[in-house]
């Protein structure tokens, strides 16, 4: 369901924003510092409950505002309003879906599946396993209904086991009970992630082949514990060293997606542009698989499209996105780099972010953009 109305208030430097995006590709052009990334950040917050720029949401609230209120209406019958509010003082996130307050971010994530491609995209390859685990789990969450429950139960069991390990004075019954729980839900998580990987792999390979032929590139899922033993045994046999370390060393919380090119980690041999294309292929493949399995499309946020991509690769990326029929919000400082990469019948809607002397950015529609 595409977004057909956006209302942002108190978001970084943006003036109160009311806009009606198009259902297809929305291009957002503006000078450095005008507020383009902030605008994408607002949409990202609605779908993911967190920023891609900071861990502290108070920094996202406009300096002169007491609160930030973000709202979007998803097109549908009936339309689905989603909203998020954060005050500077209380620090609590208020989440709304369909006019009602909801307790969990997962409800918003479920309503607004989105993927971000930005100049930091290479971090997915370079950074810690946590980002790649989150990437896998986003996919599993959207296509496997029992994922969230299994994930929550495994996380809770892990928290309790870690607390007992740190406690020093081991309570054997409690520890065994949480261990059994962790083993059970951890194995379940692994099975769901493996199933998802099996479906994801061919979609990724086809997407990558279209963007950047790298036949040697290989994705390998690693589940987070020894391949030869079940999790229950791993936890039992690791109890003593886990106690010395003060945490559980193996389990679904250590799962990763290894990305290799032949014998090397991909990040060690690919150029920045190639890394961005591999990450783009991963993210586009997420949306394609989501569509294939659930019939739902994924929203794409692409910040600074031209960064690291030459004109040819930019065009292949844009054409792929276009064929997916997704709603997208794409920014650039440069008008021509943004507009010239699409087919003549692409569903483009153009916006400008106009800076005011006070530093506020104002998002204004620019009619339908001309394609090359
Ligand atoms: N909490 C805040 N309140 C007010 N202004 C802020 C806040 N946080 C950041 N800014 C300002 O918002 C402006 C817009 O930043 P943003 O990153 O969105 O710009 P941009 O259009 O993406 O620029 P670029 O093309 O350089 O990437 C910056 O000038 C920044 O100083
Ligand atoms: Mg920016």
């Amino acid at each position: 369901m595409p977004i057909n109305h956006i209302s942002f208030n108190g978001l970084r430097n943006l003036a109160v924003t009311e806009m009606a995006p198009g259902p297809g590709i929305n291009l957002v052009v503006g000078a450095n510092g005008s507020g383009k990334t902030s605008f994408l950040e607002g949409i990202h917050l609605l779908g993911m409950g967190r920023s891609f720029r900071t861990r502290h949401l108070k920094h996202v609230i406009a300096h002169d505002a007491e609160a930030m209120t973000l709202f979007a209406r998803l097109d549908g019958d009936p339309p689905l309003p989603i909203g998020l509010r954060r005050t500077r003082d209380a620090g609590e996130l208020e989440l709304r879906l369909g006019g009602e307050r909801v307790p969990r971010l997962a409800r918003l994530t479920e309503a607004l599946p989105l993927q971000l491609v930005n100049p930091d995209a290479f971090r997915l390859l370079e950074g810690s396993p946590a980002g790649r685990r989150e990437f896998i789990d986003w996919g599993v969450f959207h296509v496997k209904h029992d994922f969230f429950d299994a994930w929550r139960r495994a996380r809770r069991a892990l928290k309790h086991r870690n607390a007992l390990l740190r406690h020093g004075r081991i309570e054997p019954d409690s520890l065994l009970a949480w261990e059994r729980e962790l083993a059970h839900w951890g194995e379940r998580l692994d099975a769901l992630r493996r199933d998802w990987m099996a479906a994801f792999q061919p979609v990724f390979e086809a997407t990558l082949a279209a963007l950047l032929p790298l036949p040697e590139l290989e994705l390998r899922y690693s589940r987070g514990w020894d391949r030869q033993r079940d999790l229950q045994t791993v936890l039992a046999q690791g109890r003593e060293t886990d106690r010395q370390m003060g945490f559980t060393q193996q389990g679904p919380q250590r799962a990763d997606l290894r990305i290799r090119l032949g014998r090397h980690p991909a990040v060690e041999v690919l150029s920045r542009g190639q890394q961005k294309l591999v990450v783009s292929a991963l993210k586009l493949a997420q949306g394609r698989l989501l569509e294939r399995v659930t019939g739902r499309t994924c929203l794409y946020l692409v910040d600074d499209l031209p960064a690291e991509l030459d004109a040819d690769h930019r065009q292949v990326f844009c054409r792929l996105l276009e064929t997916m029929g997704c709603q997208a919000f794409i920014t650039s400082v440069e008008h021509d780099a943004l507009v010239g990469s699409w087919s003549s019948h692409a569903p483009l809607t153009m916006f400008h972010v106009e800076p005011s002397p006070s530093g506020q950015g104002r998002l204004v529609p620019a009619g339908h953009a001309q394609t090359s």
Side-chain angles (χ1 to χ4, degrees):
M1 284 196 284
I3 297 175
N4 63 17
H5 182 80
I6 286 177
S7 167
F8 289 163
N9 198 333
L11 171 65
R12 292 210 191 252
N13 76 319
L14 289 176
V16 175
T17 301
E18 298 280 343
M19 56 98 74
I25 311 291
N26 293 278
L27 305 179
V28 180
V29 178
N32 290 135
S34 57
K36 302 177 300 297
T37 303
S38 305
F39 174 67
L40 298 190
E41 193 179 19
I43 303 175
H44 191 273
L45 272 161
L46 277 171
M48 305 290 274
R50 58 174 176 75
S51 164
F52 52 85
R53 292 213 278 193
T54 173
R55 287 155 51 128
H56 305 289
L57 282 190
K58 64 172 189 258
H59 296 308
V60 186
I61 303 175
H63 295 319
D64 59 357
E66 282 314 305
M68 156 179 81
T69 308
L70 311 177
F71 168 88
R73 193 175 58 225
L74 308 185
D75 199 10
D77 190 17
L80 184 65
I82 70 175
L84 178 152
R85 183 175 158 82
R86 164 76 145 76
T87 53
R88 191 177 290 286
D89 299 335
E92 192 199 350
L93 258 191
E94 188 183 321
L95 310 169
R96 290 189 163 266
L97 184 71
E100 286 177 16
R101 229 177 137 159
V102 290
R104 285 188 207 296
L105 273 173
R107 297 288 304 280
L108 300 198
T109 307
E110 196 179 1
L112 189 60
L114 65 82
Q115 287 288 329
L116 168 79
V117 179
N118 70 356
D120 287 344
F122 64 89
R123 294 234 175 101
L124 189 65
L125 305 186
E126 190 182 85
S128 72
R132 291 183 293 276
R133 207 159 42 241
E134 193 178 296
F135 176 82
I136 299 177
D137 287 349
W138 185 99
V140 193
F141 171 80
H142 282 288
V143 302
K144 303 271 183 192
H145 286 302
D146 54 341
F147 169 79
F148 188 58
D149 189 45
W151 180 84
R152 262 185 28 211
R153 287 170 187 266
R155 194 181 61 160
R156 180 159 169 261
L158 176 70
K159 237 165 86 183
H160 282 282
R161 185 178 191 267
N162 282 345
L164 287 170
L165 289 171
R166 276 196 300 271
H167 217 238
R169 183 173 53 85
I170 287 291
E171 300 164 39
D173 290 348
S174 255
L175 188 72
L176 283 177
W178 287 119
E179 228 164 64
R180 266 199 302 275
E181 182 85 356
L182 177 56
H184 175 79
W185 293 109
E187 296 281 2
R188 180 77 196 124
L189 268 187
D190 172 47
L192 290 168
R193 284 169 173 165
R194 256 185 297 127
D195 272 4
W196 176 82
M197 263 311 283
F200 181 73
Q201 201 112 11
V203 182
F204 168 71
E205 281 164 17
T207 311
L208 184 69
L211 270 178
L212 176 77
L214 277 179
E216 275 202 290
L217 193 109
E218 204 185 39
L219 294 187
R220 205 177 300 157
Y221 162 69
S222 100
R223 66 177 179 175
W225 68 92
D226 185 342
R227 267 193 283 170
Q228 314 298 331
R229 295 173 299 162
D230 60 37
L231 185 52
Q232 178 94 52
T233 310
V234 166
L235 293 173
Q237 292 177 346
R239 212 173 287 147
E240 207 34 58
T241 50
D242 283 356
R243 191 173 4 198
Q244 282 161 15
M245 303 290 284
F247 66 93
T248 306
Q249 295 172 84
Q250 295 193 61
Q253 76 283 3
R254 302 296 296 273
D256 196 359
L257 184 65
R258 307 244 159 87
I259 307 171
R260 301 182 67 82
L261 193 71
R263 290 183 296 118
H264 309 282
V267 68
E268 300 295 340
V269 282
L270 296 179
S271 73
R272 266 293 145 82
Q274 289 175 320
Q275 289 178 38
K276 180 160 175 172
L277 288 163
V278 169
V279 174
S280 299
L282 284 164
K283 298 200 167 189
L284 292 174
Q286 280 275 28
R288 290 173 116 185
L289 182 63
L290 176 77
E291 213 264 338
R292 196 171 292 181
V293 178
T294 67
R296 303 176 66 202
T297 54
C298 175
L299 176 92
Y300 280 88
L301 303 175
V302 184
D303 198 17
D304 198 0
L305 174 74
E308 315 279 5
L309 297 188
D310 60 44
D312 288 346
H313 285 109
R314 205 155 61 219
Q315 188 175 72
V316 182
F317 175 85
C318 290
R319 299 287 167 101
L320 259 179
L321 194 57
E322 199 182 317
T323 57
M324 288 167 63
C326 296
Q327 187 177 39
F329 292 85
I330 304 184
T331 74
S332 172
V333 287
E334 235 194 305
H335 175 273
D336 293 351
L338 204 51
V339 169
S341 307
W342 308 88
S343 75
S344 55
H345 49 270
L348 304 182
T349 313
M350 188 88 178
F351 295 89
H352 288 289
V353 191
E354 292 179 350
S356 73
S358 66
Q360 273 203 329
R362 198 171 292 279
L363 209 80
V364 294
H368 293 282
Q370 297 297 309
T371 58
S372 59

